[in-house]
Amino acid sequence: MSKINWFKYSSPPAFFPLAGRMIPWFSAAAVLLIAAGLYISFFVAPTDFQQGEAYRIIFLHVPAAWMSMFIYVLMAGYSALSLGFNARLSAMMASALAPTGALFTFLALLTGSLWGKPMWGAWWVWDARLTSELILLFLYIGYISLQSAIDDRRRADRTSAVFALVGVINVPIIYFSVRWWNTLHQGATISMTKAPAMAHTMLLGMLVMAVGFWMYTIAVVLMRVRCVILEREREAGWVQDMRGME
Amino acid sequence: MNGQSIWLSLLRRDLLLAARRSADVASVIFFFVIAASLFPLGVGAEPAMLRAVAPGVLWVAALLSTMLSLGRLFAADHLDGTLEQMLLSPQPLIMTIIAKTLAHWLISGLPLVVLAPVLGLQFDLSGREILVLTVSLLLGTPVLSLIGSIGAALTLGVRGGGVLVALLVLPLYIPVLIFGAGAVTASAAGLGAQAGLSLVGAMLAVSAVFAPYAAAAALRIALE
Amino acid sequence: MNGQSIWLSLLRRDLLLAARRSADVASVIFFFVIAASLFPLGVGAEPAMLRAVAPGVLWVAALLSTMLSLGRLFAADHLDGTLEQMLLSPQPLIMTIIAKTLAHWLISGLPLVVLAPVLGLQFDLSGREILVLTVSLLLGTPVLSLIGSIGAALTLGVRGGGVLVALLVLPLYIPVLIFGAGAVTASAAGLGAQAGLSLVGAMLAVSAVFAPYAAAAALRIALE
Amino acid sequence: MLAAHDLACERGGRALFRNLNFTLERGVLLHIKGANGSGKTSLLRMLCGLTPPASGRITWDDEDIRGLRENYAAQITYIGHHPAVKDELSALENLRVAQALAGQPVTVAQAQAALAAVGLQGRANLPLRVLSQGQRRRVALARLWLSHAVLWILDEPFNALDVEAAALLERHIETHLGAGGMVVLTTHQQPGIASQRMHIVQLAA
Amino acid sequence: MLAAHDLACERGGRALFRNLNFTLERGVLLHIKGANGSGKTSLLRMLCGLTPPASGRITWDDEDIRGLRENYAAQITYIGHHPAVKDELSALENLRVAQALAGQPVTVAQAQAALAAVGLQGRANLPLRVLSQGQRRRVALARLWLSHAVLWILDEPFNALDVEAAALLERHIETHLGAGGMVVLTTHQQPGIASQRMHIVQLAA
Ligand code: HEM
Ligand SMILES: Nc1ncnc2c1ncn2[C@@H]1O[C@H](COP(=O)(O)OP(=O)(O)OP(=O)(O)O)[C@@H](O)[C@H]1O
Ligand SMILES: Nc1ncnc2c1ncn2[C@@H]1O[C@H](COP(=O)(O)OP(=O)(O)OP(=O)(O)O)[C@@H](O)[C@H]1O
Ligand SMILES: [Mg+2]
Ligand SMILES: [Mg+2]
């Protein structure tokens, strides 16, 4: 992850070209990894003795669910930066992350409920984790709509930053929901402390997919940030110069 | 004049206003009662089922009516320019916010706590459940007001703040709801209510410490 | 310019405003969804019980969210003087009121009807029940808007109209609720839903004829 | 022709004025003077037929306006303290809606022209929320550039207007009077209208 | 002493003014002139410290007001377009609340006196809802008869005031200036203040 560079290149003019150069690499990595992940999950990984083929959804579901939470935390992080040092770039990063986060949240919900039908015999159950994931989707939507609801850029950034920071508390709720309430939903099967309880190929598949999703996220976010920069710094000299060069 | 007496007069003023708009305040309480009382009508009145749903119904009703009253927290003062005067008052903004949030709870939270036992009787809950219910509301409603203050401040003067407040505030309300109602159901099922109650208590402590700061920040941004 | 096109432009304007305040409209719908969705969380999620309470819950939610949106019917136009302009417009007041009530239903009633099936699925109701539920709401929500318009007009500019609206309107709402929800429960129990539905239909007919006149009279008085 | 016969106005049990008589012919402006709280706004609302007078009658061409209702409404354009504009709508939309309500719908082009006339070129599509106090007022007043009504009833129209806009409005009022229109207005400034066209009613505080 | 250094103001991407410089000593009134929408209100809000300037600094006795916060707030009395009064409360209650908020609580007697000074004797206990436009404005302005603040910031204070009330306010402002106070105000009328006491800042539209 090129996270370190955010700080070195934390001024839009410096960051813009860098981002431009990084995008192709991340995109390529994303394509390859996701392809590999899909291959592993559908051809390498063994059929589950009790769940049959349906379980293969897990390879989409779990990484998507992870991303949905990671991205929110990251978004909150950037929001904190933008409030603290009112760094323009961090604000842009935060707002660029939101749509992707929402996408993965939706994916987790979708795959989840697709999976739920065979497993629980219902598309949807009022389970703490499912609900809190749904709420995470609401939070993303809230964040996006709050930004679009305010005309003044500066205010929009700062307000939605506070929003994101307050909302971050929902993430632990999602994660630990399975522990706090006895729910239908699986508990964490991967944990830092104990050895993973699932087959290694499954684990591998999930991890590859997860990394693939990360690459995708970074690529997309960089593209979005470039657009945001161009749109916001229209007037700035360096943009004009660049236009000149093209 | 020291900050403290500004603080007091601010609190007194909010309560005075509430007293003048008594009907306006009543509407929140009224809403709570209605929401709770309509259910037996809609659901049909088998005591067993009613008793089962009672805690949930009452808690949801409390949650909704608080959410409705959030509009009143800052919006009115924003429209007529009083809020600007508050930012210009020589007391730290955070004190102002604490005063207004406290007033909000006294006006639209406390009454619910007081009414809960009566409604509990309607759903014929046992004395013990009613006690737990009341305690859970006593601990829970301030959390609702505190978290609400952030939402209200964030969406101040924003186009259609209404839904945004709901969007922001709800996710944070839900745990309170689950544990609050959970505590009652637990004690009904003979399990201890402590776990749930102490969790709500913890939330109260946390939100009491952090919410005012978040709200203050949001308010400053909103009035720029 | 003939009255009719004034009427149309008034309707169009209300819808345009709603579109601009989309979030404001959304909040009513959102409230409906929330109110309906919070219950399972508060009550606990046994499918059997949920199915039993579903019709009541959904109807009560619809009723409450309509009651909330009543504020928007005249109040905003009253504050900024638009309502005076409407009284001064060369079309009979009653037409104005019909236009505004219709707009109100389109904005805050129809969406509930559209959403009901989705929520019905959440509570996993059978297809037949969902159908009955939707129909009952389709017939019922206009009644809520019509009756509501009277309440809104009566309490216009009255301090804390909120609670008064509720007080005035509720007694008239309750029958709608009982028969509407009743129809669904009946069809769930295998009894016919016709009885309930036709009763709601009758209410619609009656209120459609009389409510606008009452509202018009109330409005004239309110603005003197 | 507008006429008031022995009008009286009461507010909260106090009589604001009584036995008020005046007639207003075409081409004349009626300037209602009076201290704050003397009942000017209340009087204007009576003349619009919004408030019934405590006693006395208001007639339009010798018919009581109570009886005329919509027909009378079609004759007047009332612009009160409250500009009757919506923050969410753009200046253009506000204007067109107001005119449609008044039964005098206008095309976008006409509305644009009116807004330009009150000096809001380039602001027409901003939501009113962001406009300044005076600009909001101008949007409300732009209706006068589109109205076909004979009788204009204006409550402190010069409030919040800058000098230039005020002059503009005065000129426009004079043209209206010149074309045989009538105007009733209140203001605490001295309206710059040729005095022979201007009658004055003084309300005792 | 209040000073503005290279102030700039932006709204919705458009620059309203830039490189604005002025200083205001004790005993002087600063009249901010400008057409509707030229940025007067925006400037006043900056001077109050409510809006941060797009660029430039505002200093009070050579300290940036951003740093001073409450200490600066204690020095000023701001009365904006919105009177910041509550319809439900009586004139008396409104006044006392406003003063308490400003950290300058007053007794009933003092408040009564101030209301009498602005010509609201006998209105003190009416809910503001029923007062006329000008009377509401007077209630808001009555704060100036109680304020200890050095710097008054007034946004179109003469709006809706009748002639007599306007004169009253002008006299009161002059006394304040005489006592070494400072005033920043906007108005579209010509304030009747001795011109040697009055500096003017003109904002280009
Ligand atoms: C809409 C329905 C669902 C939602 C919103 C949802 C949400 C989530 C979330 C947020 C996670 C990540 C949390 C974590 O890493 O511990 C997760 C993980 C997981 N979900 Fe779901 N889920 C849903 C349905 C299902 C279903 C039906 C199944 C299978 C019966 C399932 C099985 C799993 C498993 C095995 C994990 C991995 C847990 C871990 O390894 O930590 N989920 N789900
Ligand atoms: N309920 C009431 N009780 C007592 N007085 C009332 C009541 N309602 C209105 N008033 C008085 O009636 C008068 C309202 O007059 P109006 O609003 O017409 O004044 P105005 O001439 O328009 O003043 P302005 O120049 O300030 O607009 C005010 O003096 C107000 O105090
Ligand atoms: N979001 C926005 N987009 C475009 N223009 C805006 C926006 N917000 C404010 N403005 C403009 O900024 C100006 C606001 O200025 P301000 O309210 O300070 O005017 P003012 O000098 O007080 O005018 P008035 O004399 O009418 O009170 C207006 O011209 C308004 O059109
Ligand atoms: Mg008046
Ligand atoms: Mg201004």
Side-chain angles (χ1 to χ4, degrees):
Chain A
M1 280 233 323
S2 48
K3 193 161 174 37
I4 326 87
N5 303 353
W6 291 170
F7 297 108
K8 187 141 114 263
Y9 289 86
S10 62
S11 88
F15 176 77
F16 188 85
L18 172 80
R21 267 181 275 110
M22 293 191 301
I23 289 173
W25 297 103
F26 284 111
S27 320
V31 174
L32 293 178
L33 283 165
I34 293 179
L38 286 174
Y39 177 77
I40 297 176
S41 42
F42 283 97
F43 301 106
V44 179
T47 307
D48 186 275
F49 60 89
Q50 39 170 290
Q51 303 188 26
E53 300 298 336
Y55 91 97
R56 294 185 187 277
I57 296 179
I58 199 175
F59 293 107
L60 280 177
H61 174 70
V62 178
W66 287 340
M67 294 302 291
S68 67
M69 295 185 292
F70 283 144
I71 291 183
Y72 194 94
V73 176
L74 195 58
M75 196 173 84
Y78 279 120
S79 305
L81 285 181
S82 70
L83 272 185
F85 313 106
N86 67 59
R88 299 199 322 278
L89 190 55
S90 322
M92 299 180 193
M93 286 300 295
S95 51
L97 276 164
T100 317
L103 175 71
F104 280 117
T105 315
F106 181 73
L107 201 61
L109 282 166
L110 189 70
T111 51
S113 43
L114 283 178
W115 199 359
K117 192 59 181 170
M119 296 304 301
W120 308 330
W123 297 107
W124 183 263
V125 295
W126 286 104
D127 154 295
R129 166 163 282 177
L130 274 58
T131 315
S132 45
E133 182 78 1
L134 186 63
I135 286 165
L136 186 61
L137 184 63
F138 282 161
L139 275 182
Y140 277 118
I141 296 174
Y143 179 93
I144 295 169
S145 41
L146 185 53
Q147 268 208 330
S148 59
I150 305 177
D151 308 318
D152 181 41
R153 274 274 118 256
R154 173 185 159 80
R155 185 187 164 191
D157 285 341
R158 298 168 64 76
T159 308
S160 46
V162 177
F163 186 124
L165 283 174
V166 177
V168 78
I169 200 165
N170 186 45
V171 173
I173 294 177
I174 301 176
Y175 191 79
F176 295 112
S177 51
V178 276
R179 254 194 249 156
W180 290 345
W181 304 283
N182 50 347
T183 58
L184 265 177
H185 191 284
Q186 255 83 343
T189 47
I190 299 173
S191 74
M192 309 312 137
T193 57
K194 61 177 169 52
M198 61 172 87
H200 280 75
T201 41
M202 280 177 68
L203 180 55
L204 181 70
M206 274 197 251
L207 292 182
V208 173
M209 283 300 273
V211 182
F213 281 175
W214 262 120
M215 296 300 131
Y216 163 81
T217 310
I218 296 174
V220 173
V221 168
L222 289 184
M223 293 181 201
R224 226 179 259 121
V225 168
R226 275 169 64 96
C227 301
V228 177
I229 292 180
L230 277 188
E231 185 253 333
R232 287 200 199 175
E233 313 235 323
R234 229 180 291 107
E235 311 312 334
W238 66 272
V239 178
Q240 308 300 348
D241 306 344
M242 200 180 55
R243 287 247 178 70
M245 289 186 298
E246 280 156 11
Chain B
M1 170 187 187
N2 56 5
Q4 193 209 354
S5 63
I6 301 185
W7 190 83
L8 276 179
S9 59
L10 183 56
L11 182 62
R12 215 179 297 112
R13 171 242 185 211
D14 274 17
L15 297 179
L16 175 64
L17 261 177
R20 286 298 157 75
R21 297 178 178 154
S22 48
D24 193 357
V25 176
S27 66
V28 173
I29 301 165
F30 195 71
F31 177 91
F32 176 61
V33 178
I34 293 173
S37 321
L38 282 183
F39 274 94
L41 290 178
V43 171
E46 305 158 18
M49 175 189 286
L50 280 188
R51 215 175 295 110
V53 298
V57 172
L58 290 176
W59 252 99
V60 171
L63 198 150
L64 292 177
S65 51
T66 314
M67 215 160 62
L68 296 180
S69 63
L70 283 181
R72 276 215 315 285
L73 193 43
F74 298 120
D77 286 338
H78 181 47
L79 281 181
D80 64 17
T82 314
L83 206 52
E84 288 177 344
Q85 297 295 340
M86 290 176 180
L87 259 79
L88 293 179
S89 108
Q91 96 175 318
L93 182 55
I94 181 132
M95 299 305 294
T96 311
I97 285 175
I98 293 174
K100 288 191 74 67
T101 314
L102 177 56
H104 177 264
W105 179 72
L106 289 174
I107 294 163
S108 53
L110 192 53
L112 308 189
V113 180
V114 178
L115 277 174
V118 186
L119 295 174
L121 285 176
Q122 269 193 350
F123 288 84
D124 74 72
L125 296 179
S126 74
R128 167 144 191 64
E129 287 159 53
I130 290 188
L131 178 66
V132 178
L133 175 69
T134 318
V135 176
S136 70
L137 282 172
L138 187 61
L139 292 171
T141 44
V143 183
L144 300 185
S145 293
L146 284 161
I147 297 175
S149 70
I150 307 176
L154 275 176
T155 58
L156 198 59
V158 171
R159 235 173 303 132
V163 64
L164 284 175
V165 162
L167 267 173
L168 168 59
V169 156
L170 208 70
L172 306 173
Y173 275 8
I174 283 179
V176 189
L177 167 69
I178 293 180
F179 290 121
V184 187
T185 352
S187 75
L191 320 168
Q194 283 73 358
L197 290 183
S198 47
L199 268 167
V200 178
M203 295 182 196
L204 176 54
V206 174
S207 52
V209 176
F210 293 114
Y213 287 96
L219 215 51
R220 276 239 165 64
I221 296 166
L223 283 192
E224 274 183 1
Chain C
M1 169 186 186
N2 55 8
Q4 193 208 355
S5 65
I6 301 186
W7 189 83
L8 277 180
S9 59
L10 183 57
L11 183 62
R12 214 178 302 114
R13 170 238 184 215
D14 272 19
L15 297 179
L16 174 64
L17 260 178
R20 284 304 153 73
R21 298 182 178 149
S22 48
D24 192 357
V25 177
S27 68
V28 174
I29 301 165
F30 197 71
F31 177 90
F32 177 61
V33 177
I34 293 172
S37 315
L38 281 182
F39 273 93
L41 288 177
V43 171
E46 302 157 22
M49 175 191 284
L50 281 186
R51 213 176 296 107
V53 297
V57 172
L58 290 176
W59 253 97
V60 171
L63 198 150
L64 292 177
S65 51
T66 314
M67 216 160 62
L68 296 179
S69 62
L70 283 180
R72 276 214 314 284
L73 192 45
F74 299 120
D77 287 338
H78 180 46
L79 281 182
D80 64 19
T82 314
L83 206 53
E84 288 177 345
Q85 297 295 340
M86 291 177 180
L87 262 79
L88 293 179
S89 107
Q91 96 174 319
L93 184 54
I94 181 128
M95 300 304 295
T96 312
I97 284 177
I98 292 174
K100 288 191 74 67
T101 313
L102 177 56
H104 178 265
W105 179 72
L106 289 174
I107 294 164
S108 52
L110 193 53
L112 307 190
V113 181
V114 177
L115 275 174
V118 185
L119 295 175
L121 281 177
Q122 276 193 343
F123 288 86
D124 71 70
L125 297 178
S126 76
R128 168 144 189 64
E129 287 159 53
I130 290 187
L131 178 67
V132 177
L133 175 69
T134 318
V135 175
S136 69
L137 282 172
L138 187 62
L139 291 171
T141 44
V143 183
L144 300 184
S145 294
L146 284 160
I147 298 176
S149 69
I150 308 178
L154 276 175
T155 58
L156 198 60
V158 176
R159 222 173 325 129
V163 64
L164 285 176
V165 162
L167 274 171
L168 293 171
V169 157
L170 211 71
L172 304 171
Y173 275 8
I174 286 179
V176 190
L177 166 69
I178 292 180
F179 292 120
V184 187
T185 355
S187 75
L191 319 168
Q194 283 72 0
L197 290 183
S198 47
L199 267 169
V200 178
M203 296 182 195
L204 175 55
V206 174
S207 52
V209 176
F210 294 114
Y213 287 96
L219 215 50
R220 277 239 165 63
I221 297 163
L223 281 193
E224 273 188 0
Chain D
M1 189 192 75
L2 183 71
H5 309 277
D6 306 323
L7 278 191
C9 169
E10 276 194 7
R11 279 274 176 277
R14 294 174 49 266
L16 286 176
F17 54 79
R18 56 166 64 91
N19 311 353
L20 187 66
N21 289 287
F22 61 77
T23 63
L24 179 63
E25 293 83 14
R26 292 172 160 282
V28 177
L29 173 145
L30 188 69
H31 178 194
I32 297 173
K33 284 187 157 178
N36 291 136
S38 53
K40 299 184 292 301
T41 299
S42 313
L43 175 56
L44 292 194
R45 288 175 52 83
M46 281 184 195
L47 294 180
C48 294
L50 289 169
T51 333
S55 76
R57 298 164 42 245
I58 300 168
T59 60
W60 176 256
D61 297 336
D62 305 328
E63 286 190 67
D64 192 317
I65 62 169
R66 281 242 203 67
L68 295 169
R69 282 223 167 153
E70 285 83 21
N71 307 337
Y72 177 60
Q75 308 290 323
I76 67 178
T77 295
Y78 170 63
I79 296 180
H81 260 309
H82 297 296
V85 288
K86 292 267 176 247
D87 280 354
E88 292 79 9
L89 301 184
S90 73
L92 190 65
E93 289 161 334
N94 266 301
L95 189 53
R96 295 195 65 202
V97 163
Q99 281 307 98
L101 256 181
Q104 302 170 1
V106 294
T107 67
V108 174
Q110 290 170 304
Q112 292 275 21
L115 289 172
V118 294
L120 288 176
Q121 334 54 343
R123 293 249 171 285
N125 296 316
L126 286 177
L128 233 67
R129 184 170 8 92
V130 305
L131 294 192
S132 81
Q133 214 59 24
Q135 290 169 327
R136 299 167 63 87
R137 194 101 202 127
R138 288 174 184 221
V139 174
L141 290 170
R143 288 184 53 201
L144 296 179
W145 270 256
L146 297 169
S147 146
H148 310 159
V150 186
L151 172 58
W152 295 354
I153 300 183
L154 314 175
D155 198 351
E156 307 203 11
F158 299 108
N159 256 356
L161 291 185
D162 60 25
V163 188
E164 170 200 350
L168 203 69
L169 179 58
E170 283 163 355
R171 293 294 75 69
H172 189 60
I173 289 180
E174 280 193 326
T175 4
H176 179 61
L177 296 175
M182 318 180 196
V183 178
V184 181
L185 62 68
T186 72
T187 171
H188 297 297
Q189 280 103 299
Q190 181 57 33
I193 307 279
S195 56
Q196 72 278 12
R197 290 193 165 291
M198 184 159 66
H199 294 182
I200 293 181
V201 168
Q202 176 73 49
L203 299 182
Chain E
M1 189 192 74
L2 183 73
H5 310 277
D6 305 323
L7 277 192
C9 171
E10 275 193 7
R11 281 272 178 278
R14 293 174 48 264
L16 287 176
F17 54 79
R18 50 167 69 90
N19 310 354
L20 186 68
N21 289 288
F22 61 77
T23 63
L24 179 63
E25 294 84 13
R26 293 173 159 278
V28 177
L29 175 145
L30 188 69
H31 178 194
I32 296 172
K33 284 185 158 179
N36 291 137
S38 53
K40 300 184 294 299
T41 298
S42 313
L43 175 56
L44 292 194
R45 287 176 51 84
M46 281 184 194
L47 293 180
C48 293
L50 288 169
T51 330
S55 76
R57 295 163 46 247
I58 300 168
T59 58
W60 176 256
D61 296 338
D62 305 325
E63 285 189 69
D64 192 318
I65 62 171
R66 279 237 204 71
L68 294 170
R69 285 227 164 152
E70 284 82 22
N71 306 336
Y72 177 61
Q75 307 290 323
I76 67 180
T77 295
Y78 170 63
I79 296 181
H81 260 308
H82 297 295
V85 287
K86 291 268 174 242
D87 280 355
E88 291 79 10
L89 300 184
S90 74
L92 190 66
E93 289 162 332
N94 267 301
L95 189 53
R96 294 194 66 202
V97 164
Q99 281 306 99
L101 254 183
Q104 302 170 1
V106 294
T107 67
V108 175
Q110 290 169 304
Q112 292 275 20
L115 288 172
V118 294
L120 288 176
Q121 333 56 342
R123 293 249 173 285
N125 296 316
L126 287 177
L128 233 66
R129 185 171 7 93
V130 305
L131 293 193
S132 81
Q133 215 57 25
Q135 290 168 328
R136 300 168 62 87
R137 198 95 209 130
R138 290 175 184 218
V139 174
L141 290 169
R143 286 184 55 200
L144 296 180
W145 269 258
L146 296 169
S147 144
H148 309 161
V150 187
L151 173 58
W152 294 354
I153 300 183
L154 313 175
D155 199 349
E156 307 202 12
F158 300 109
N159 256 358
L161 290 186
D162 60 23
V163 188
E164 168 200 352
L168 202 68
L169 179 58
E170 283 163 354
R171 292 295 75 70
H172 189 58
I173 289 181
E174 281 194 325
T175 357
H176 178 61
L177 295 175
M182 318 180 194
V183 178
V184 181
L185 61 70
T186 72
T187 172
H188 297 296
Q189 281 104 299
Q190 180 55 34
I193 307 279
S195 57
Q196 71 279 12
R197 288 193 166 293
M198 185 159 67
H199 294 182
I200 293 182
V201 167
Q202 176 75 46
L203 298 182

